[in-house]
Amino acid sequence: MSLVVYLAAFMLGISSVLVRRRPRTALRDPLTLSTCVAIALAALVFVCAAPATLAAVNELTGIPNFGAPLTYGMLSAYSCAALVLLINWRGGPRELVRRMVLRSVAAYGLLVLAIVVLFALADAGTERLTDLDTYYANTPFMREMILLYLLGHSAAMLVMCVVCLKWAREVTGLLRTGLWLILLGTLLDVVGFQLTKYTAVVARWHGHDLDFLSTDVAPPMASLGAVLCSAGFVLPRLLPPTLAQWRGLLDHRRLAPLWYLVRSASTAPKPPTAWWQLPQVRLQWREVSIHDALLALAPYFDHRVRERARDDALAAGRSPHEARLAAEAALLADAARRAAAREEPPRTDGSYRLHATEVLGTSGLVELARALDRERDRPSPATPHTPHTPPAPDGAGPNSMAGPMAEPEEPHVA
């Protein structure tokens, strides 16, 4: 069971780190801070609840079952953090939000204090690592402590269910998906963890043994529910920037044909080559370098090349926009060749602007790169050449005269 809860704790910890991408600004944003705290506390709950951790804590403190109030206190703190997260997520007037947060913290602070006091009053000298809830279900003060932590956690999870169900009907998109994930994870916690715990404890009260519900069913269900809840909190915040980075990576690769053509003309500073640079940062560097190269190549633009390529594309049945892109691709390839050969710039009008410089974002450059790729793969028209003359019989070459071959004259002797 330790492996299951440690795995859940690891996944929750990773989620907390991913949400807190910018540590300096995270502390100033109540929503980000409360999200990180809630997920981190959920991870700590699973770490503390693992039998291996409980045994280590008990041995370290020298108090049997000291890990129980520690785990229950962490679980109550997580319940409070989940409510605070919902309050910050909902928003509203600052004073109202602050007042609701303080009330939640005060209520669960008293709950944690009560758990500690009840444990101190109880007689729990036998160490139980996996079945403490059912083993001490009839023990004075321990019984109240177990029931109190379950009720506190149930209250928070039921509030989350109601709020998420209500908000999911009012919002759309990723936020709605996140709310449904939180709702599903919370329902798994309520049904799979809390209901099984209540059933096993009440069964002990009435002399029955359903301990397997508490020891075998509840932990994995709680782990799955917590992971789903964390995914619901993280998804609306992480998926949009993740998709933006993915689009940046694709555009960076799509610009490769254009960059390889013009990079020798670019005078922009070389981009950092660190492997940890995000795709959008790499894309911005490539855009800047390409625009700098286009500016350097502008004097070499021969618009006669562009006009011929445009007319050929239109004659081939391509749309005006496609013809313009094909013409600009030919123009740019010719300019790059001239610049590389250090030829004199042609004397043409330099007022023409490329389509890629007229649109915002990367789309214009990507279209130009694709046009370059298409023109490179397009078979070039055959150049005129002299038809091949088949070899004449008897080994005569192609320059041999037609007709029978004349016999050589005998040399004339004077």
Side-chain angles (χ1 to χ4, degrees):
M1 190 175 73
S2 294
L3 179 61
V4 174
V5 292
Y6 281 146
L7 180 60
F10 174 76
M11 296 179 67
L12 292 169
I14 292 295
S15 301
S16 177
V17 171
L18 290 175
V19 170
R20 194 164 156 251
R21 299 186 305 275
R22 298 185 180 92
R24 294 181 181 178
T25 58
L27 297 177
R28 304 172 192 168
D29 182 10
L31 180 57
T32 302
L33 181 60
S34 55
T35 304
C36 293
V37 169
I39 298 176
L41 284 174
L44 285 176
V45 169
F46 284 104
V47 171
C48 293
T53 305
L54 293 174
V57 169
N58 295 340
E59 183 179 358
L60 184 64
T61 59
I63 302 175
N65 300 311
F66 185 82
L70 178 63
T71 303
Y72 298 158
M74 285 290 182
L75 183 61
S76 301
Y78 164 69
S79 302
C80 177
L83 290 179
V84 171
L85 174 56
L86 288 176
I87 294 170
N88 285 319
W89 201 353
R90 182 63 174 177
R94 181 175 297 180
E95 284 301 319
L96 177 61
V97 170
R98 182 174 176 271
R99 188 162 55 249
M100 294 177 67
V101 167
L102 289 177
R103 287 177 179 175
S104 300
V105 172
Y108 278 89
L110 291 175
L111 176 62
V112 173
L113 180 62
I115 289 173
V116 173
V117 171
L118 288 171
F119 177 77
L121 296 174
D123 181 14
T126 303
E127 183 181 62
R128 310 301 297 185
L129 300 179
T130 58
D131 61 346
L132 183 139
D133 292 345
T134 51
Y135 184 84
Y136 288 108
N138 292 306
T139 302
F141 300 112
M142 287 293 286
R143 175 182 58 236
E144 287 77 11
M145 182 191 74
I146 294 167
L147 187 60
L148 198 57
Y149 97 82
L150 285 174
L151 289 174
H153 187 55
S154 298
M157 295 300 103
L158 290 175
V159 170
M160 285 185 66
C161 284
V162 173
V163 172
C164 289
L165 186 61
K166 179 181 177 182
W167 290 355
R169 298 172 180 172
E170 301 175 359
V171 297
T172 57
L174 283 177
L175 184 56
R176 185 175 187 179
T177 304
L179 287 170
W180 281 115
L181 284 173
I182 295 172
L183 178 60
L184 180 59
T186 306
L187 287 175
L188 278 174
D189 187 286
V190 171
V191 176
F193 175 73
Q194 297 171 40
L195 187 58
T196 55
K197 287 282 188 179
Y198 283 125
T199 303
V201 169
V202 172
R204 278 286 188 150
W205 290 351
H206 292 85
H208 301 290
D209 185 358
L210 295 177
D211 291 6
F212 75 94
L213 291 176
S214 177
T215 57
D216 298 333
V217 177
M221 296 297 287
S223 302
L224 180 59
V227 170
L228 285 176
C229 283
S230 297
F233 287 128
V234 168
L235 184 67
R237 300 178 64 83
L238 282 189
L239 189 57
T242 301
L243 292 177
Q245 295 293 343
W246 176 251
R247 287 191 294 268
L249 177 62
L250 294 180
D251 286 342
H252 185 270
R253 292 180 175 178
R254 289 168 182 154
L255 289 178
L258 178 58
W259 171 240
Y260 293 148
L261 178 67
V262 304
R263 61 181 175 180
S264 60
S266 177
T267 59
K270 291 186 178 181
T273 57
W275 61 268
W276 61 81
Q277 289 291 337
L278 292 175
Q280 280 193 318
V281 177
R282 296 175 182 266
L283 177 63
Q284 290 172 0
W285 276 99
R286 179 159 287 186
E287 283 185 83
V288 170
S289 300
I290 289 176
H291 279 292
D292 182 80
L294 294 179
L295 188 63
L297 291 175
Y300 293 93
F301 288 170
D302 188 345
H303 298 289
R304 294 169 297 183
V305 173
R306 176 180 59 83
E307 291 167 0
R308 284 196 302 269
R310 182 196 59 198
D311 294 341
D312 291 343
L314 290 174
R318 300 166 76 175
S319 67
H321 183 64
E322 291 177 342
R324 180 181 181 182
L325 290 175
E328 291 179 351
L331 173 71
L332 192 58
D334 180 74
R337 179 191 61 78
R338 289 175 181 272
R342 299 190 177 184
E343 297 181 6
E344 288 293 327
R347 297 181 180 179
T348 56
D349 181 18
S351 61
Y352 180 79
R353 291 188 63 188
L354 297 174
H355 171 70
T357 63
E358 294 178 345
V359 296
L360 296 176
T362 319
S363 59
L365 293 176
V366 170
E367 285 185 312
L368 183 56
R370 286 174 172 171
L372 279 168
D373 220 16
R374 284 194 299 266
E375 295 304 315
R376 183 184 60 189
D377 296 337
R378 190 182 302 277
S380 57
T383 56
H385 61 281
T386 305
H388 178 67
T389 305
D394 299 327
N399 295 328
S400 301
M401 297 176 60
M405 188 173 183
E407 292 290 331
E409 292 186 2
E410 290 291 329
H412 177 71
V413 179

